[in-house]
Amino acid sequence: MNLELSKEDIAFREQVRGFLRDNLTPSLVAAGRKATSVFVEPEFTLPWQKKLHAKGWAAPHWPKEYGGPGWTEMQRYIFASESAIAGAPPLAPMGLNMVGPCIIGYGTPEQKNFYLPRILAGEDYWCQGYSEPQSGSDLASLMLKAERDGDDYVLNGSKIWTTHAHHANRMFCLARTRFDGKPQQGITFLLLEMKTPGITVDPIISLAGEHELNQVFFEDVRVPVVNRLGEENDGWTVAKYLLEFERSGGSSAGLEAGLKRLREAILKDGLIEASLVAKLEQASILLDAIRVTEQRIVASLSAGRPPGPAASMLKVQRTEMMQRIDELAVEASGIYSNVYEPATWHPDSNLEPVGTEALVVATAKYLNNRAGSIYGGSNEVQRNIMAKAVLRL
């Protein structure tokens, strides 16, 4: 495994750093650093996406023929790392990282021609209709009914924990089109417009007091059959393909940047306790191990070898490390950790927070990111995958 950057990669890294330096405004950087979850409000992500799209960098993992930049695995890794270090806000993942690759893999030529340019340009903002009130981690038990009526499917039921459904104009969702046989063999993958009559979006306010999640209700919602992705009753295949992207995206650079900012805040404000410093160093060592694992995977992909169960392993490592850093930030906040002042969380806020400025969203992040070890396939499920694939248990 050769982890040394080539001359071309070093030149590319400098190009990325120059672009980030010239295009990241203080407001965008604040949006990235004050993000309380993996989702940032579209008022910040969409302007940033437009800048990246103009450069041809909005979708690093897309094939060049569909609007991707044609980067190598190492270039993608460099771009993700440098973006995180610079504090760039993460783009909304539902379109670019999830449904976009699925449309590339399973869409008809007409679907590709229509949806992909709109996703790249940020014209469509997507949400994901997967979980249901009785079907979370057991996704195959979903019961949103889609009955065929001529050229339409008629949907009745609901979805829950639907992130940014109140912002989205489109949804990709799983619906049940057959009730006999294996549950996985009766699911269909649909693309729909959120303004379709019969759709109602109700907010779910999180423990942190934020509106990020929603429950979506469907009452006789008509979705054209041409908006189906893949074959009828074969949506489970498309869904599994999508989950590969949901679990394998990102890099540890954002975690490293967050840990570095936490350490700087602690040293600046004199919040030095031996036990806290020891925990910071332990986290730093574990992050080094995650980074090396990522680099090994990049080397394998660059050589044309699949990562195998590594996506599951990294999903577990990253989310648990994210939660560990959140816990340290709350501990460092001390008596100020439960001060509730959401007005100071806004990237453009000019209000003086109580406590340390760098830790103002520590508790909100801690509360929101508890879900990180559940969404995208719970970490317990990922460990089962690793047990079967690696240990042959």
Side-chain angles (χ1 to χ4, degrees):
M1 178 182 66
N2 182 12
L3 298 181
E4 294 293 326
L5 293 181
S6 67
K7 291 182 179 179
E8 292 77 13
D9 288 334
I10 293 173
F12 175 75
R13 184 182 62 187
E14 294 308 309
Q15 181 186 8
V16 170
R17 287 177 176 176
F19 175 82
L20 294 171
R21 185 171 55 250
D22 294 341
N23 289 276
L24 273 177
T25 65
S27 182
L28 289 172
V29 171
R33 293 186 175 178
K34 284 192 173 182
T36 57
S37 79
V38 295
F39 286 83
V40 177
E41 289 295 296
E43 66 177 292
F44 298 101
T45 60
L46 288 179
W48 179 230
Q49 181 174 334
K50 290 184 186 303
K51 290 186 177 186
L52 290 170
H53 178 51
K55 183 71 172 176
W57 291 0
H61 289 82
W62 286 23
K64 194 168 185 178
E65 60 265 33
Y66 294 111
W71 289 342
T72 65
E73 291 292 336
M74 181 58 74
Q75 287 175 322
R76 294 170 189 163
Y77 181 77
I78 290 170
F79 178 74
S81 298
E82 294 299 327
S83 295
I85 293 169
L91 300 183
M94 297 301 187
L96 291 166
N97 296 349
M98 296 183 191
V99 75
C102 281
I103 292 171
I104 291 172
Y106 288 90
T108 65
E110 293 78 14
Q111 289 171 334
K112 293 176 183 178
N113 291 335
F114 178 75
Y115 289 112
L116 296 180
R118 297 175 62 87
I119 292 173
L120 284 174
E123 295 175 23
D124 285 337
Y125 196 87
W126 291 80
C127 62
Q128 179 185 46
Y130 271 27
S131 295
E132 296 183 8
Q134 304 301 322
S135 302
S137 294
D138 183 17
L139 186 58
S141 67
L142 65 88
M143 296 299 289
L144 173 67
K145 184 186 297 185
E147 295 181 303
R148 184 72 176 263
D149 182 23
D151 293 332
D152 294 334
Y153 290 105
V154 181
L155 275 58
N156 283 282
S158 71
K159 296 290 182 179
I160 201 167
W161 316 125
T162 314
T163 306
H164 280 197
H166 55 301
H167 294 308
N169 66 317
R170 297 191 187 274
M171 171 191 282
F172 59 93
C173 81
L174 297 177
R176 184 158 298 285
T177 43
R178 196 176 76 189
F179 287 82
D180 60 326
K182 289 185 63 176
Q184 291 90 341
Q185 295 174 350
I187 293 172
T188 298
F189 196 109
L190 299 174
L191 311 174
L192 55 91
E193 293 189 43
M194 293 298 287
K195 291 184 179 179
T196 305
I199 295 179
T200 304
V201 178
D202 281 358
I204 298 174
I205 305 303
S206 70
L207 279 172
E210 296 181 283
H211 179 195
E212 180 177 288
L213 305 170
N214 304 272
Q215 184 166 4
V216 183
F217 296 90
F218 302 83
E219 184 176 355
D220 294 331
V221 175
R222 303 188 76 88
V223 178
V225 173
V226 294
N227 286 9
R228 184 184 69 215
L229 195 60
E231 298 300 320
E232 184 170 294
N233 298 318
D234 195 35
W236 192 252
T237 300
V238 184
K240 288 192 298 182
Y241 182 74
L242 182 146
L243 281 173
E244 293 180 14
F245 294 93
E246 185 172 2
R247 292 170 184 167
S248 61
S251 76
S252 62
L255 298 174
E256 292 180 30
L259 186 63
K260 179 182 178 182
R261 289 195 294 270
L262 176 57
R263 181 184 285 108
E264 291 172 349
I266 290 172
L267 294 176
K268 179 180 178 181
D269 283 23
L271 306 172
I272 302 176
E273 294 184 11
S275 61
L276 186 56
V277 172
K279 291 175 184 177
L280 285 172
E281 295 312 310
Q282 289 171 355
S284 180
I285 293 169
L286 291 173
L287 263 176
D288 285 341
I290 294 174
R291 185 177 65 253
V292 170
T293 300
E294 287 178 343
Q295 291 171 340
R296 289 173 59 193
I297 292 171
V298 169
S300 294
L301 292 172
S302 298
R305 298 189 298 269
S312 293
M313 179 174 65
L314 280 178
K315 195 273 179 181
V316 171
Q317 290 179 316
R318 287 170 180 156
T319 53
E320 292 184 354
M321 176 55 66
M322 174 178 69
Q323 292 170 348
R324 178 189 289 257
I325 294 172
D326 291 340
E327 290 170 3
L328 291 175
V330 170
E331 183 177 344
S333 298
I335 61 174
Y336 302 111
S337 62
N338 285 324
V339 175
Y340 182 68
E341 44 182 356
T344 64
W345 303 349
H346 193 278
D348 293 329
S349 173
N350 59 1
L351 299 176
E352 188 73 24
V354 174
T356 304
E357 167 72 30
L359 300 176
V360 69
V361 296
T363 298
K365 288 186 69 173
Y366 167 81
L367 293 171
N368 283 333
N369 286 338
R370 297 311 301 168
S373 47
I374 299 175
Y375 59 62
S378 72
N379 284 11
E380 289 75 17
V381 170
Q382 305 311 310
R383 286 187 167 90
N384 284 342
I385 293 172
M386 289 184 284
K388 291 179 181 179
V390 179
L391 302 177
R392 307 300 180 188
L393 297 178

